[in-house]
Amino acid sequence: MRDRIVIGLLLCLALLAVIAFMTVNLRGNIAFALELRGIRLAALVTVAVAIALSTVTFQTITGNRILTPSIMGLDALYQFGQVALVFALGGLGYVSLSPQLKFGMEASALMLLAMVILWPALKSRMDLTLMLLAGVVIGGLFRSLTNLLARLIDPQEFAVAQRAMYANFSAPNTDLLAIAALVTILAGGFLFSRRHLLDIAALGRDTAIGLGVDWNRLVLLQLITVSLLVAVSTALVGPVTFFGLLIAALAERLTSSRRHASVFVVAMLLGVIVLVGGQTLLQHGLGQAGTLSVVVDFLGGLVFILLLFARRTR
Amino acid sequence: MSAIADTHHRRVMIGAGLCLALLVVMSLAIGVQELSLSGTEGTMPFADLMAISRLPRTLAAVLCGAGLAVAGQIMQTLTRNRFVEPSTAGTAQSAALGILIVTLFLPAAGLGLKALVASGCALAGTALFLATAHRLPPEQPHLVPLFGLVYGGVVGAAVTYVAWQTDLLQYLDIWTNGEFSGVLKGRYELLFVAVVIVAAAMLIADRLTIMALGEDQATSLGIDYRRMTQIGLVLVSVMSALSVVVVGLIPFVGLVVPNLVSRISGDNLRGTLPLVALGGAILVLASDIAGRVMRFPYEIPVGTVMGVIGPAVFLWFILRERRDA
């Protein structure tokens, strides 16, 4: 019951954010402006949904509330793949490839690497704080490798790579919107259809196995889905380290149980509110279109620190 | 120290010294302009080239490396955690905040004033980190560097936000990514303060070694723990701030070098601090040379090179430690 009220309230807020995003300061050629804003809105909503679903799922299969795919460096890995592709093909070769093909290649590479790096770590049931630290360090390593590769590229080609390197909510990469939205809907549908299985997984590895869950298969499938969703959000807006953590932590506090049916929905709505509402507020209220990613990283970092200390006292 | 350990230690020191000498010669020899004693037409005479560009650059790398490695060693003693250093404790990011503040309010300020304010901010930021980190449980050693990395990230995000609002993002890149290509005669001499910092650290080396035992033990052995912590904090903050002001942030030097030295020569700082300083100089100078030759005649900043080497070595340390345990 409580969850329904929360979802209803959040739905109203999300709708308000969407309406504000579409209508505030609308002038000039209204049809054109609405179309432009509509496309951007679709991109932001896709990102919010992709990050919300991937973070909640990732936290369930890793059995903790602090770790997220981007803190483990998955989006840094995706970016590294992008720049590596520019490096391998040259700027011209990269630009002449169709964006969908590039997305396909990069997403598959990410899934493969995520398997190679994360699967052994999850299987060996590494100590959580060690895994967190290793994840943060790996993320930093890939960011630096991306930088290094970008420096090794010709200066003209660097501009091509640079576009891929910063999170940008005010000008999402809309070439890929159709395929990104499709992937998100399919992956989201898959995760929702398995929500009861995830509820069992949330009880912990041993309990889940005792209840007859094929744990390895479950973790493997969810990891693949999670890396696909990370690829979607990184391709659209670039890396956002702490956004997932921010909405997952809030969603956990707003729901009465950890039933995935409600946690998924609440996290998605929160994502839309923060991204769409935040972008509207910064762009029209404060006149600072580009800074949402910085603000989100600042707040998310604080949440991360609070969670670290809260875990200790529990 | 036993006689055998003593010989071993002396051999390592001599080896490191030779290695550094070799790197210095290499660093002096590498550059876009070919060396010729007479100086061909249109090029700078040999002596000028050395005095104005190559020697300052080499010295800056040596000073920065030595100072940062020693600063890292001090940080690790103060936190009693092997995985902490100025760039993973918010020190360097706080220093960048200080420079940003000076640039905003006193755009005409010289390097000296910038370094002073940056040191102040670094001190405040690091003190906050230390005070908070002491509340983390000591039995989970990975929590402290984790907290430090994210704390640095949060301070960094605040700096980026302010810089973005005030159109200073371009400058920010200069402070946050260490680079020696801009080092010329007259623009790096502030770094000689590193000599003072390394010397001061060696003077208090014995007390630092005892402090590594923890507050209670150290106090019962007659150490004024709070006072020593304050001194250590000042040394670390001034060194990080200086390097950020003059060449920009060079991450992980203070983490990689003390850990390697401790593996080779143990934890008696009176004996190992000179080796830590030497090792830091070697690492930073070698990274700078690597950055210069990797894509000659273009350059890759030393901060970027260390950004790759540092986390890779760090990862190796934490994973290896787990296997050993």
Side-chain angles (χ1 to χ4, degrees):
Chain A
M1 186 58 210
R2 198 192 125 198
D3 286 2
R4 287 208 182 146
I5 298 174
V6 169
I7 290 176
L9 279 175
L10 289 177
L11 195 62
C12 294
L13 276 176
L15 280 178
L16 271 180
V18 167
I19 292 169
F21 183 84
M22 292 298 288
T23 55
V24 172
N25 282 347
L26 202 58
R27 54 174 176 266
N29 185 343
I30 291 191
F32 174 74
L34 277 181
E35 192 192 333
L36 193 70
R37 284 186 185 197
I39 292 174
R40 272 199 220 155
L41 177 70
L44 288 183
V45 171
T46 309
V47 169
V49 169
I51 293 184
L53 291 175
S54 60
T55 307
V56 171
T57 309
F58 191 75
Q59 293 194 338
T60 297
I61 54 175
T62 53
N64 81 94
R65 303 285 163 264
I66 302 184
L67 215 52
T68 72
S70 23
I71 293 179
M72 285 295 290
L74 273 192
D75 51 3
L77 199 57
Y78 181 81
Q79 266 196 310
F80 177 67
Q82 283 181 315
V83 178
L85 210 56
V86 180
F87 188 71
L89 300 175
L92 199 64
Y94 184 82
V95 174
S96 58
L97 276 184
S98 90
Q100 285 81 2
L101 182 65
K102 274 182 288 194
F103 176 73
M105 287 167 68
E106 286 155 4
S108 340
L110 179 69
M111 286 193 284
L112 201 72
L113 277 171
M115 286 308 111
V116 173
I117 295 177
L118 288 179
W119 182 238
L122 288 180
K123 247 180 131 174
S124 70
R125 304 171 76 182
M126 205 187 252
D127 167 47
L128 175 67
T129 52
L130 178 64
M131 193 143 108
L132 269 173
L133 181 62
V136 174
V137 176
I138 290 177
L141 178 63
F142 277 109
R143 265 182 283 279
S144 306
L145 274 175
T146 309
N147 263 327
L148 181 69
L149 218 50
R151 296 264 180 185
L152 289 172
I153 294 174
D154 261 23
Q156 294 99 319
E157 297 175 2
F158 179 67
V160 180
Q162 202 179 25
R163 248 208 88 179
M165 286 169 57
Y166 290 97
N168 194 342
F169 292 118
S170 49
N173 185 357
T174 46
D175 297 349
L176 290 171
L177 184 56
I179 189 168
L182 185 70
V183 170
T184 309
I185 291 170
L186 288 179
F190 173 70
L191 290 176
F192 260 96
S193 73
R194 295 167 73 93
R195 61 186 182 277
H196 300 302
L197 205 55
L198 287 169
D199 287 342
I200 298 174
L203 299 173
R205 178 177 183 273
D206 297 340
T207 318
I209 291 176
L211 288 168
V213 172
D214 184 346
W215 182 259
N216 284 348
R217 196 182 119 90
L218 174 92
V219 171
L220 201 65
L221 276 177
Q222 311 309 315
L223 258 187
I224 292 178
T225 320
V226 165
S227 23
L228 251 183
L229 288 170
V230 171
V232 165
S233 80
T234 319
L236 285 181
V237 296
V240 242
T241 313
F242 289 117
F243 179 63
L245 181 77
L246 192 65
I247 54 178
L250 275 175
E252 200 205 351
R253 270 155 194 70
L254 287 176
T255 47
S256 54
S257 68
R258 204 175 160 79
R259 281 185 45 237
H260 283 76
S262 6
V263 181
F264 274 153
V265 175
V266 170
M268 276 166 18
L269 288 174
L270 280 169
V272 172
I273 294 169
V274 173
L275 270 197
V276 179
Q279 185 62 33
T280 314
L281 195 71
L282 284 176
Q283 196 165 352
H284 301 295
L286 304 168
Q288 303 155 353
T291 50
L292 181 61
S293 60
V294 184
V295 174
V296 164
D297 262 0
F298 181 75
L299 293 177
L302 287 182
V303 168
F304 183 88
I305 291 173
L306 286 179
L307 284 176
L308 268 191
F309 281 90
R311 225 169 59 87
R312 186 184 68 95
T313 50
R314 205 180 291 158
Chain B
M1 233 185 244
S2 72
I4 298 170
D6 219 15
T7 341
H8 169 72
H9 183 68
R10 200 174 302 142
R11 276 193 196 142
V12 174
M13 282 293 287
I14 292 172
L18 285 176
C19 185
L20 182 62
L22 190 71
L23 285 170
V24 167
V25 174
M26 276 173 74
S27 168
L28 292 176
I30 295 169
V32 173
Q33 185 179 323
E34 275 181 33
L35 287 182
S36 72
L37 282 172
S38 52
T40 40
E41 202 176 328
T43 60
M44 197 183 263
F46 177 77
D48 284 358
L49 177 70
M50 280 295 159
I52 294 173
S53 163
R54 301 261 173 100
L55 192 62
R57 178 174 192 156
T58 307
L59 275 176
V62 168
L63 290 169
C64 252
L68 286 175
V70 168
Q73 179 76 68
I74 298 175
M75 269 314 269
Q76 286 159 32
T77 310
L78 295 184
T79 52
R80 299 183 68 201
N81 190 307
R82 284 201 180 286
F83 300 134
V84 177
E85 71 113 23
S87 76
T88 66
T91 311
Q93 291 82 358
S94 306
L97 184 65
I99 309 177
L100 188 65
I101 291 170
V102 181
T103 315
L104 272 182
F105 294 108
L106 289 167
L111 274 185
L113 183 61
K114 274 189 186 159
L116 202 65
V117 178
S119 303
C121 282
L123 194 61
T126 318
L128 184 63
F129 167 79
L130 266 189
T132 324
H134 273 302
R135 298 160 143 251
L136 287 166
E139 68 274 9
Q140 292 200 318
H142 300 122
L143 273 183
V144 177
L146 184 62
F147 162 61
L149 281 166
V150 177
Y151 172 69
V154 169
V155 177
V159 174
T160 311
Y161 184 80
V162 176
W164 200 317
Q165 296 307 312
T166 48
D167 281 330
L168 288 172
L169 266 188
Q170 276 192 323
Y171 289 94
L172 197 62
D173 202 44
I174 300 175
W175 305 322
T176 49
N177 199 0
E179 188 164 20
F180 288 111
S181 61
V183 171
L184 290 174
K185 185 176 176 231
R187 295 192 43 196
Y188 79 105
E189 282 74 4
L190 219 51
L191 283 178
F192 278 104
V193 176
V195 176
V196 180
I197 287 170
V198 173
M202 287 185 189
L203 270 183
I204 59 169
D206 284 339
R207 273 169 281 180
L208 283 175
T209 307
I210 296 176
M211 280 175 76
L213 299 171
E215 180 162 7
D216 295 342
Q217 284 260 27
T219 309
S220 71
L221 287 166
I223 303 278
D224 186 345
Y225 194 86
R226 293 194 54 151
R227 180 82 191 283
M228 291 303 297
T229 304
Q230 288 160 357
I231 294 175
L233 262 180
V234 170
L235 293 180
V236 169
S237 308
V238 171
M239 186 58 229
S240 325
L242 276 179
S243 81
V244 172
V245 168
V246 180
V247 296
L249 198 161
I250 309 174
F252 294 111
V253 181
L255 193 141
V256 170
V257 178
N259 275 291
L260 282 178
V261 168
S262 143
R263 264 154 218 266
I264 298 170
S265 296
D267 290 321
N268 182 353
L269 292 186
R270 196 197 331 198
T272 59
L273 260 183
L275 196 54
V276 169
L278 258 180
I282 290 174
L283 181 63
V284 171
L285 191 56
S287 304
D288 184 46
I289 293 174
R292 274 189 270 172
V293 294
M294 221 184 296
R295 190 163 158 54
F296 194 81
Y298 300 110
E299 291 196 5
I300 297 180
V302 68
T304 307
V305 178
M306 273 311 296
V308 174
I309 299 176
V313 178
F314 190 6
L315 214 55
W316 176 60
F317 282 152
I318 50 179
L319 296 180
R320 206 185 109 122
E321 181 202 46
R322 176 166 162 268
R323 210 179 324 128
D324 293 348

